[in-house]
Amino acid sequence: MAIVLPILRQVAPIRSVLDAGQLAELARQALVAEVELTPKPGLVDRRGAGAHSDLSLDLMRQSAAAIAPYFQAMGDSAQSMPFDRGLRTEVAAIGRAAESAMLQATNGSNAHKGAIWILGLLVTAASRGIDLNPAAIAQDAAFLARLPDRAQPQLLSHGEMVRARYGATGARGEAFAGFPHVLHVGLPTLRAERNRARTETNSRLWALLNIMARLEDTCVLYRGGAEGLAIVQKGASDALLAGGPGSVAGELAMLRLDQELLIRNISPGGAADLLAATLFLDALEQGQNAIEDNSLSEEVSYGTD
């Protein structure tokens, strides 16, 4: 059965307050802000490579820079094409080119494959400029994600292997569902903790831990199975219950979780991608044209007084 597109999606695109280049730069900054955020259990940050043997802080920065032009290309396409299957096919092709650029920049390491899909869709939707409210952008991005990509290669990815074994849908399912862990977990937590006068670093860490505690992270499932996912979710929940980032007990719990994940070689990369998406949509909602990393200038105890 053919998909009937709403009339709204057939009209000429309206230019956004930020052009495609600015949105792409904002997405790049979101990726850098995510990786710079410290300390993150099992993930690359300023302390080191986390549970990764093939990534580093510099490689993650290089990856973000390499894929930013492809985000701009997606946004440019959204501003010149109808919001339909043709755009879906075009954006998917650009996304595959972005993956190749990422792999070249990182010497073959997967730094941001999930983020290319997630942020690519959000940049594409935001580039239409119809409504920069996070919920509206997510709705448009989900609409685009659900359209078929006839050129999609039939390859057995890590995400598909996990989906077949555990039923977890990963980044694709998150997009299909309208980014619930961004809209209903990441963004509300970030706002709430800022309103409690926490530092920006701790507010972002609270958002990350809340996502980790709820997400069926396919990166975790691929590396650690169901047991690993349970450890991540319980460990994140325990850290929050202990007081979370900004408290001695909470940061000690985060450190224990980090050590456990390093031993088990588990990295919650799906949660990290959704935090980057959270920061991107938050900046748009706040009317910001830059995402700053304030962590170096903020007092962060890392589990000590």
Side-chain angles (χ1 to χ4, degrees), residues 1 25-26 99 109-110 125 145 173 224 227 237:
M1 179 181 296
E25 172 59 14
L26 202 63
E99 288 183 19
S109 298
N110 176 13
E227 181 183 2
S237 296

Side-chain angles (χ1 to χ4, degrees), residues 45-70:
D45 59 21
R46 291 200 313 274
R47 300 169 302 165
H52 297 274
S53 60
D54 59 345
L55 291 175
S56 67
L57 190 61
D58 284 341
L59 279 178
M60 296 292 284
R61 292 186 186 123
Q62 290 169 25
S63 172
I67 62 182
Y70 298 89

Side-chain angles (χ1 to χ4, degrees), residues 80-120:
S80 62
M81 297 176 65
F83 209 71
D84 60 10
R85 289 181 180 178
L87 178 61
R88 171 69 174 86
T89 299
E90 176 70 11
V91 167
I94 296 170
R96 287 189 280 274
E99 288 183 19
S100 296
M102 172 198 71
L103 293 173
Q104 184 175 0
T106 62
N107 300 314
S109 298
N110 176 13
H112 289 121
K113 184 174 181 178
I116 291 171
W117 164 258
I118 290 170
L119 280 171

Side-chain angles (χ1 to χ4, degrees), residues 16 18 20 23-24 26-27 30 71 74-75 78 83 91 114-129 131-145 171 174-176 178-183 187 273-282 284:
S16 60
L18 299 179
L23 289 167
L26 202 63
F71 288 146
M74 294 176 188
F83 209 71
V91 167
I116 291 171
W117 164 258
I118 290 170
L119 280 171
L121 287 167
L122 294 175
V123 168
T124 301
S127 294
R128 303 182 68 222
D131 191 340
L132 292 183
N133 177 274
I137 294 172
Q139 181 181 18
D140 279 350
F143 173 87
L144 191 66
E174 181 76 16
F176 284 12
F179 303 91
H181 290 88
V182 176
L183 293 184
L187 283 169
D273 292 340
L274 294 178
L275 176 64
T278 296
L279 297 178
F280 175 74
L281 290 180
D282 171 68
L284 290 181

